[in-house]
Amino acid sequence: MQTVVSQTSPPKKSFLYDPKVRGVFYQVLLVAVVGYLFYVAATNAIENLQRAKIASGFGFLENTAGFDISQSLIPFSAAGSTYGDAFLVGLLNTLIVSAIGIFFTTILGFLIGIARLSTNWMVAKVAMVYVEALRNVPLLVQLLFWYIAVLGPLPQPRNSLEMGAGFFLNSRGFFMPRPVYAADAWAIPAVLAIGLVGAFVYRRWAKTQQEKTGRQSPVGLVTLGLVVGLPVVTWIVLTLAGANPIGFDLPKKGTFNLTGGMQILPEFVALLLGLTTYTAAFIAEVVRAGILAVSKGQTEAASSLGLKSGQTLRLVVIPQAMRVIIPPLTSQYLNLTKNSSLAVAIGYPDLVQVFMGTVLNQTGQAIEVVVITMGVYLTISLVTSAVMNIYNRRVAIVER
Amino acid sequence: MKKALVSIAFGLTASLIATGASAQATLNSVKQKGFLTCGSNTGLAGFGLPDAQGNWTGLDVDLCRAMAAAIFDDPTKVRYIPLAAKDRFTALQSGEVDVLSRNSTMTMSRDTQLGLDFPAINYFDGQGFMVRKKLGVSSAKELNGASICTQQGTTTELNLADYFRANNMKYEVVAFATSDETFKAYDAGRCDAFTTDASGLYAERLRASAPDDHIVLPEIISKEPLGPAVRHGDNQWGDLVRWTHNAMLDAEELGVTKANVDQMKGSDNPEIKRLLGTEGKYGEGIGLTNDWAYRIIKHVGNYGEIFEKNVGEGSKLKIKRGQNALWTKGGLQYGMPIR
């Protein structure tokens, strides 16, 4: 399938022995064989479906679903929602657990990766044990461990653990107050937006100031004050003025379980914990490899300039390590997203559980459902990969 | 590389064509293989459950055993494939199993849209609820706000939604892939109630950490006619399943049992003669020998016998015959005449 094209004057050869022609011939042959295979597979599937009188097509997505789902970010009910809605619910549940998982696993993975390189013997060994233990146990086992052994023995709703301020924990999940927004609650996001813009402007000003004069400004503190402090102060002021912008719906004890408030399902918590702690072990290794790839001379040069060790890590080592870290980190993000499909074992309604489990079964549209599901995971993976590649291009070494 | 690709290509093509052809006559392929593949439950006491040695027992697996007896004169020529509810129909459609005998409800959509046929009903059931006694609940109508464990991809899941909607009650559903996971979650306290077919409730209760702490609520919220399923379009194979069930019912009605079937062969009763193949050529009609029903009863027994042994008073489940009694005794089981 490879063609060797010689640039020198071609010796006179028979047409049949021309490597270029042969190359093209084999490529065409391969494409034809693959195409024929797909054709046979497709016609065979269609024939079998017709013979068995199995309805096909994507029309089923508009039929009423008739079942309920425990967690849905969009309104879903057995009465009015369709299989298409069930697909969306499953997709959103997959995306939310993956997004939150990626966020936490990045933080945890970086911390442990750096801890493994710590000069403190204890810290380094604890990180090593974490990585080796978590990395070498199958994820499914870990998920079941979190779900059955850790979250299972929590008390029944009637003896919920009370943590004060409307927070409860029991075997049905974690309960917290649900904010109820009043009419004048818009002031708070408005102030938050002002705070964000202010913080951005201040950071730019501080940066140019430092470049001009060398003086450093307390950027972190001011940003915190603008983004968190300002909205909180606004809220307190509004409340004192009697406007009461945000109320809270507290969970109350009902016949079977707590009612009201916000409930986070134990299935979600178990899946998030399992995915985060497992993937973090891999990310820790990626981070360690990235840091070790930065030449020791860089650290020495940084200390000879008088940078503290924290500064050295943050300003010199990590930025260079990122170039090595990003590509394998992307793979870990993709793994986390795909592994979220193991949710089916612990009853979390993700895409695979809802769509490839319940919907496939209630409709029998195996081929369509599997094709859609494969397409979704492929799309998620390609988008994640594309975003990370763009970031990678920005941090890559600019060669002159 | 090239060679490998080409051989893979031809291999795939050959296998695709082969599956296309074998889907047509299941009986022939079963005879050729020398055994029957039977889609069974992953483990439901009384219906389909493997013991420590891997021997399957239960009402549903006995139907497969009866079919093997009719075809091969040997009830052990069955390979059981445990299937979760959510995988069962796909496994049957794709030809992974020859017959699905695992407490599956016959519904119109399954019969007409899934490419399946339900040739017989070997257990008439209905959906119920189980709760812990200490909840103090005595009726399903009091379950407003409860969380309920169920198995996904079942009619149970749909009936549950219907029932709570019809009674204007709220609930939280927690769905699992297998009955095992579902019941474990309920037993661990994840849900207030567990729902499945009433027979399943009694069977699963045996596995609870403290069976006496649980009660089955009186409401039966649905009709669940459970029976074996086969692929749509292979009528000969469907006939074989249907008449295997009928033969076991007729045998019970005529008083032919595993113990007396040899003496009954000499009976003058024309119905018994036709059943046991001493008169007429009924076996040939389903592609078997004429003593097909004799083989079933000799090796497996009549319907009453397998009922008593697996789920009835003689078993741990102690389920009454109820709707599953013969029509002559006020039940719904009605063996079609062999003639």
Side-chain angles (χ1 to χ4, degrees):
Chain A
M1 272 174 279
Q2 27 181 217
T3 53
V4 182
V5 185
S6 60
Q7 295 295 323
T8 51
S9 63
K12 286 203 170 165
K13 269 189 199 163
S14 146
F15 180 73
L16 278 175
Y17 287 94
D18 187 339
K20 212 171 177 180
V21 173
R22 290 194 134 194
V24 170
F25 172 74
Y26 281 126
Q27 304 257 17
V28 169
L29 186 71
L30 183 74
V31 168
V33 168
V34 171
Y36 174 71
L37 261 182
F38 272 104
Y39 169 76
V40 171
T43 44
N44 186 54
I46 291 168
E47 257 173 47
N48 279 336
L49 288 176
Q50 278 173 348
R51 189 183 312 121
K53 297 246 160 60
I54 298 175
S56 57
F58 292 91
F60 72 96
L61 288 171
E62 318 214 322
N63 296 351
T64 306
F67 58 89
D68 282 296
I69 302 176
S70 56
Q71 177 189 314
S72 61
L73 299 176
I74 54 170
F76 186 89
S77 75
S81 299
T82 61
Y83 289 122
D85 295 330
F87 164 73
L88 277 183
V89 169
L91 177 62
L92 287 173
N93 285 346
T94 289
L95 289 178
I96 191 143
V97 82
S98 305
I100 298 178
I102 284 175
F103 176 75
F104 284 116
T105 201
T106 309
I107 296 173
L108 189 63
F110 268 78
L111 287 179
I112 291 166
I114 293 169
R116 240 195 122 166
L117 292 170
S118 169
T119 44
N120 182 323
W121 187 86
M122 197 62 199
V123 171
K125 289 300 157 196
V126 168
M128 189 192 84
V129 169
Y130 175 92
V131 168
E132 294 308 327
L134 275 281
R135 206 167 57 142
N136 291 309
V137 175
L139 178 56
L140 185 60
V141 176
Q142 294 189 33
L143 287 179
L144 293 173
F145 168 78
W146 286 110
Y147 189 57
I148 295 169
V150 178
L151 300 175
L154 286 172
Q156 289 295 300
R158 289 184 185 189
N159 324 311
S160 300
L161 292 175
E162 274 194 69
M163 292 181 288
F167 288 85
F168 296 89
L169 187 64
N170 64 35
S171 62
R172 307 289 159 73
F174 182 60
F175 295 79
M176 58 178 108
R178 185 168 55 88
V180 183
Y181 302 101
D184 41 6
W186 61 269
I188 291 167
V191 168
L192 179 72
I194 293 170
L196 280 172
V197 171
F200 182 71
V201 171
Y202 179 77
R203 284 174 89 104
R204 294 200 62 170
W205 174 81
K207 203 176 168 203
T208 47
Q209 201 67 11
Q210 190 186 353
E211 276 164 7
K212 262 192 236 156
T213 66
R215 267 212 319 269
Q216 291 189 339
S217 323
V219 177
L221 212 64
V222 172
T223 308
L224 190 75
L226 283 171
V227 176
V228 180
L230 209 57
V232 171
V233 169
T234 317
W235 178 35
I236 293 171
V237 168
L238 277 173
T239 312
L240 287 179
N244 201 19
I246 301 177
F248 285 100
D249 174 23
L250 300 181
K252 285 176 291 289
K253 282 190 184 167
T255 328
F256 293 102
N257 199 354
L258 303 168
T259 55
M262 244 182 349
Q263 179 186 10
I264 297 179
L265 295 176
E267 288 79 26
F268 177 80
V269 177
L271 183 63
L272 189 62
L273 278 171
L275 286 175
T276 305
T277 52
Y278 177 78
T279 317
F282 289 88
I283 291 183
E285 289 295 89
V286 168
V287 168
R288 184 168 72 111
I291 292 175
L292 287 177
V294 178
S295 131
K296 200 160 181 246
Q298 295 284 327
T299 318
E300 287 165 355
S303 11
S304 69
L305 282 175
L307 293 182
K308 291 175 204 143
S309 65
Q311 282 176 319
T312 309
L313 195 65
R314 196 156 45 88
L315 300 171
V316 178
V317 178
I318 299 271
Q320 296 187 69
M322 283 315 273
R323 293 165 188 156
V324 180
I325 291 173
I326 299 275
L329 185 67
T330 309
S331 305
Q332 292 309 325
Y333 287 172
L334 300 186
N335 279 347
L336 187 143
T337 309
K338 287 182 287 182
N339 283 341
S340 71
S341 59
L342 287 171
V344 70
I346 55 171
Y348 174 73
D350 82 319
L351 181 67
V352 170
Q353 210 248 11
V354 171
F355 199 57
M356 268 190 41
T358 307
V359 173
L360 190 158
N361 256 278
Q362 304 294 8
T363 62
Q365 310 280 4
I367 293 178
E368 293 85 350
V369 167
V370 172
V371 164
I372 292 176
T373 311
M374 280 174 19
V376 165
Y377 279 99
L378 186 67
T379 311
I380 295 176
S381 291
L382 289 179
V383 167
T384 313
S385 190
V387 168
M388 293 300 279
N389 276 333
I390 291 170
Y391 180 63
N392 191 31
R393 222 168 293 140
R394 287 188 51 183
V395 299
I397 296 174
V398 184
E399 291 184 38
R400 278 171 243 264
Chain B
M1 176 64 186
K2 241 172 273 162
K3 264 187 188 163
L5 271 180
V6 171
S7 58
I8 289 171
F10 279 107
L12 272 175
T13 320
S15 68
L16 283 168
I17 291 165
T19 44
S22 71
Q24 282 182 324
T26 314
L27 180 59
N28 287 342
S29 88
V30 166
K31 280 179 175 169
Q32 248 167 33
K33 278 188 297 182
F35 60 88
L36 169 79
T37 49
C38 173
S40 64
N41 201 299
T42 49
L44 183 66
F47 291 85
L49 184 74
D51 65 10
Q53 284 80 46
N55 300 316
W56 287 79
T57 53
L59 190 71
D60 285 336
V61 299
D62 272 351
L63 189 82
C64 290
R65 203 168 272 140
M67 288 173 67
I71 302 167
F72 301 110
D73 198 14
D74 182 353
T76 62
K77 293 203 166 163
V78 185
R79 208 162 283 180
Y80 298 100
I81 312 230
L83 296 170
K86 72 181 195 65
D87 306 321
R88 56 188 161 173
F89 298 128
T90 320
L92 180 62
Q93 286 166 348
S94 64
E96 201 185 324
V97 296
D98 298 316
V99 58
L100 181 78
S101 184
R102 75 170 296 296
N103 55 309
S104 303
T105 308
M106 173 175 181
T107 67
M108 182 161 175
S109 65
R110 286 175 181 177
D111 192 30
T112 57
Q113 291 164 22
L114 286 195
L116 305 179
D117 276 340
F118 288 83
I121 301 302
N122 68 340
Y123 193 93
F124 289 95
D125 210 342
Q127 182 178 348
F129 293 94
M130 177 157 66
V131 294
R132 278 178 199 76
K133 272 184 190 159
K134 65 174 182 207
L135 270 182
V137 171
S138 58
S139 157
K141 295 260 159 70
E142 297 166 33
L143 287 177
N144 193 5
S147 73
I148 296 170
C149 282
T150 185
Q151 206 183 341
Q152 61 174 164
T154 54
T155 49
T156 312
E157 201 181 6
L158 304 178
N159 297 329
L160 181 67
D162 285 353
Y163 183 76
F164 277 77
R165 194 172 6 139
N167 287 290
N168 204 12
M169 299 193 296
K170 277 189 182 156
Y171 73 109
E172 174 195 62
V173 64
V174 192
F176 294 88
T178 68
S179 59
D180 194 41
E181 285 164 357
T182 316
F183 188 75
K184 266 188 195 146
Y186 164 75
D187 200 29
R190 174 63 185 90
C191 302
D192 298 303
F194 171 71
T195 184
T196 188
D197 300 338
S199 61
L201 291 178
Y202 289 102
E204 295 286 16
R205 187 164 69 166
L206 296 174
R207 303 196 305 152
S209 40
D212 293 336
D213 288 357
H214 305 272
I215 55 161
V216 174
L217 298 177
E219 282 86 356
I220 294 292
I221 65 166
S222 69
K223 290 185 287 190
E224 305 289 340
L226 308 180
V230 294
R231 282 179 291 277
H232 184 88
D234 187 349
N235 294 344
Q236 184 194 34
W237 184 245
D239 288 347
L240 199 153
V241 177
R242 177 180 303 113
W243 289 99
T244 300
H245 179 62
N246 281 326
M248 292 196 285
L249 288 177
D250 288 334
E252 186 188 3
E253 195 180 328
L254 294 167
V256 182
T257 65
K258 201 174 174 178
N260 70 10
V261 66
D262 283 311
Q263 298 144 28
M264 285 292 192
K265 251 192 156 172
S267 164
D268 291 332
N269 183 332
E271 283 189 82
I272 295 177
K273 282 177 134 176
R274 288 194 295 268
L275 174 70
L276 298 181
T278 48
E279 188 183 301
K281 293 186 172 174
Y282 297 98
E284 285 173 13
I286 49 173
L288 301 176
T289 55
N290 287 327
D291 63 343
W292 62 286
Y294 166 81
R295 294 169 168 192
I296 293 172
I297 298 148
K298 178 75 187 161
H299 293 296
V300 185
N302 68 36
Y303 183 78
E305 287 178 290
I306 64 169
F307 190 98
E308 286 310 307
K309 182 182 76 179
N310 292 308
V311 298
E313 304 290 342
S315 73
K316 278 189 203 160
L317 269 72
K318 304 207 186 319
I319 298 175
K320 293 200 168 59
R321 277 299 281 272
Q323 292 172 317
N324 289 293
L326 288 182
W327 67 287
T328 47
K329 292 181 182 152
L332 297 171
Q333 289 292 1
Y334 190 103
M336 308 301 157
I338 294 173
R339 67 171 313 132

